[in-house]
Amino acid sequence: MERSGNHCEMRIKRFAYWFTGLAIVVIIWKLCLIESSVDNLQSIRKILDFHKDQLELTQQQLVFLENLAKKKSAGGLPTIYAVTPTYWRHVQKAELTRISQTLRLVPNVHWIVVEDSETKTDLVRNLIAESGLVVTHLHAKTPPFEQLKDKDPRWKRHRGVEQRNAALKWLRSNLQVNKNNGIVYFMDDDNTYNVKVFEEMAKVKKVGVWPVGLVGGLNAETPILDEKSGKVKGYKSGWKADRPFAIDMAGFAINLDLILKSEASFSYKMEKGYQESEFLSYFIKKEELEPLADNCTKVYVWHTRTEKPVVNGVVPGLEV
Ligand SMILES: *[C@@H]1O[C@H](CO)[C@@H](O)[C@H](O)[C@H]1NC(C)=O
């Protein structure tokens, strides 16, 4: 009786071992399946992203051709390459909508949008597709050590360095000196632009400058002109007016050829608040600046700042 009881127990044990072993094999097999389908999904996603890029490019080529036809009648104006760094926050779409619709009133613009993100986002992609503008869409992620924290004051870090440099790189690898007649303008997505500022910059030979409203604690910052010569002799600026070029990013535009012939770029090593000044020093002396906007007496661009909205809830399925 005892013997057969033992025997039975052993059989149950053996069965339990077999069962456990089999279960482990099945689990491993399942895990392998899951892993390979994750791999599959990832490669499908890559292919999808690739097709999205292709589609975007094709759409852009179409817009480009349409504009080329229009431009012939626009009287040989130089192309304005407007460089806009942008990053995700609740007001991003609103800001980009506003400035893209301003740009629709400018016949000779090529918009270079550079996202601060790992990949291009659908939000920006869709906005560009709807804009009807000639756009080059790039992305360049700001390294983590330079990212602005929510509570940091805005001046605490260099902003847009990575993105503006990506745009400069694109210009230098896609355009040619003396062939592409153009002007480069750094057009942040949170400012307000009068269409006239683009008419002014079309006159630029080397570097043109003009006043910028609502900046540096003043109603406007502006170059000060010498009455006799009409050249820039100094600056009215809320902060360090003795900088070689105390000019806001929105207050100047540069001839494309000067950009293409140089290797000038922005850098985290530049002193805070000196990005514009150091960048301009690559190209020109103060006396050579070309004062525009009726000898710097008109304001055509403002540093408006959208208040950060309070968002406590999100409606699913709505891209805002
Ligand atoms: C700007 O100033 C220059 C020299 O001071 C003068 O010749 C020119 O007419 C002015 N232009 C405008 C648009 O006021």
Side-chain angles (χ1 to χ4, degrees):
M1 210 37 200
E2 217 178 83
R3 271 188 74 127
S4 90
N6 259 348
H7 189 66
C8 186
E9 225 172 69
M10 261 172 64
R11 280 179 66 177
I12 289 173
K13 259 191 192 163
R14 201 179 295 157
F15 177 73
Y17 286 142
W18 272 104
F19 184 77
T20 316
L22 197 67
I24 288 170
V25 170
V26 168
I27 287 168
I28 289 172
W29 177 61
K30 272 282 176 198
L31 283 178
C32 288
L33 277 188
I34 289 170
E35 201 182 323
S36 76
S37 59
V38 166
D39 280 351
N40 270 344
L41 277 178
Q42 267 165 358
S43 63
I44 288 173
R45 198 195 157 143
K46 265 190 205 143
I47 293 169
L48 263 174
D49 279 344
F50 173 76
H51 282 299
K52 268 192 210 165
D53 279 348
Q54 288 294 310
L55 209 67
E56 198 183 12
L57 220 62
T58 313
Q59 193 251 350
Q60 276 308 311
Q61 279 161 347
L62 276 175
V63 176
F64 186 77
L65 286 178
E66 267 171 34
N67 272 266
L68 210 62
K70 264 189 245 160
K71 217 172 131 188
K72 285 217 175 93
S73 57
L77 285 170
T79 303
I80 290 161
Y81 295 91
V83 174
T84 303
T86 184
Y87 64 98
W88 194 87
R89 71 270 194 210
H90 284 293
V91 296
Q92 183 183 29
K93 193 172 174 187
E95 303 278 42
L96 289 176
T97 299
R98 194 163 49 109
I99 67 166
S100 68
Q101 298 197 347
T102 302
L103 289 180
R104 287 190 68 146
L105 301 170
V106 182
N108 51 325
V109 73
H110 180 135
W111 197 20
I112 304 182
V113 182
V114 194
E115 289 193 72
D116 183 352
S117 57
E118 296 284 356
T119 56
K120 298 181 198 174
T121 65
D122 282 343
L123 187 148
V124 175
R125 228 192 277 271
N126 296 340
L127 192 135
I128 287 172
E130 272 179 31
S131 74
L133 296 165
V134 175
V135 186
T136 294
H137 184 187
L138 307 170
H139 67 99
K141 180 107 181 115
T142 300
F145 65 89
E146 283 296 340
Q147 267 164 21
L148 205 64
K149 305 230 170 52
D150 252 13
K151 282 179 196 145
D152 284 349
R154 289 161 62 103
W155 52 264
K156 205 172 161 189
R157 296 237 191 274
H158 293 314
R159 300 178 323 129
V161 170
E162 220 68 31
Q163 293 75 37
R164 292 192 191 101
N165 285 346
L168 291 171
K169 193 173 161 203
W170 185 89
L171 291 170
R172 287 179 183 133
S173 43
N174 289 279
L175 301 174
Q176 286 167 6
V177 179
N178 292 334
K179 197 169 168 206
N180 298 93
N181 180 18
I183 308 291
V184 178
Y185 183 49
F186 296 106
M187 185 191 188
D188 286 352
D189 67 359
D190 49 355
N191 296 335
T192 303
Y193 302 85
N194 187 326
V195 181
K196 285 184 179 161
V197 80
F198 298 95
E199 291 167 13
E200 289 301 306
M201 60 181 94
K203 303 173 189 166
V204 167
K205 295 195 179 65
K206 285 181 163 177
V207 178
V209 292
W210 49 81
V212 177
L214 311 176
V215 63
L218 301 175
N219 66 343
E221 287 189 347
T222 181
I224 302 169
L225 307 192
D226 184 79
E227 268 176 39
K228 270 201 193 135
S229 67
K231 307 256 190 225
V232 176
K233 65 170 184 187
Y235 310 94
K236 187 96 191 124
S237 168
W239 185 78
K240 289 202 179 174
D242 60 346
R243 281 173 289 163
F245 299 92
I247 303 174
D248 184 84
M249 202 64 84
F252 67 88
I254 305 180
N255 186 298
L256 175 68
D257 280 344
L258 288 187
I259 298 266
L260 297 182
K261 283 184 207 158
S262 81
E263 287 176 2
S265 64
F266 296 94
S267 156
Y268 296 112
K269 295 197 189 97
M270 293 174 177
E271 208 179 312
K272 302 277 182 282
Y274 275 74
Q275 291 279 341
E276 295 95 333
S277 187
E278 293 206 21
F279 188 73
L280 284 172
S281 315
Y282 280 107
F283 303 103
I284 204 163
K285 294 194 204 68
K286 185 167 74 185
E287 300 70 40
E288 297 175 278
L289 293 171
E290 299 149 37
L292 294 169
D294 287 357
N295 286 332
C296 295
T297 60
K298 298 273 168 30
V299 174
Y300 294 142
V301 53
W302 299 262
H303 252 236
T304 40
R305 272 186 202 162
T306 311
E307 189 183 340
K308 196 173 175 216
V310 179
V311 176
N312 294 321
V314 169
V315 181
L318 255 192
E319 187 191 84
V320 179

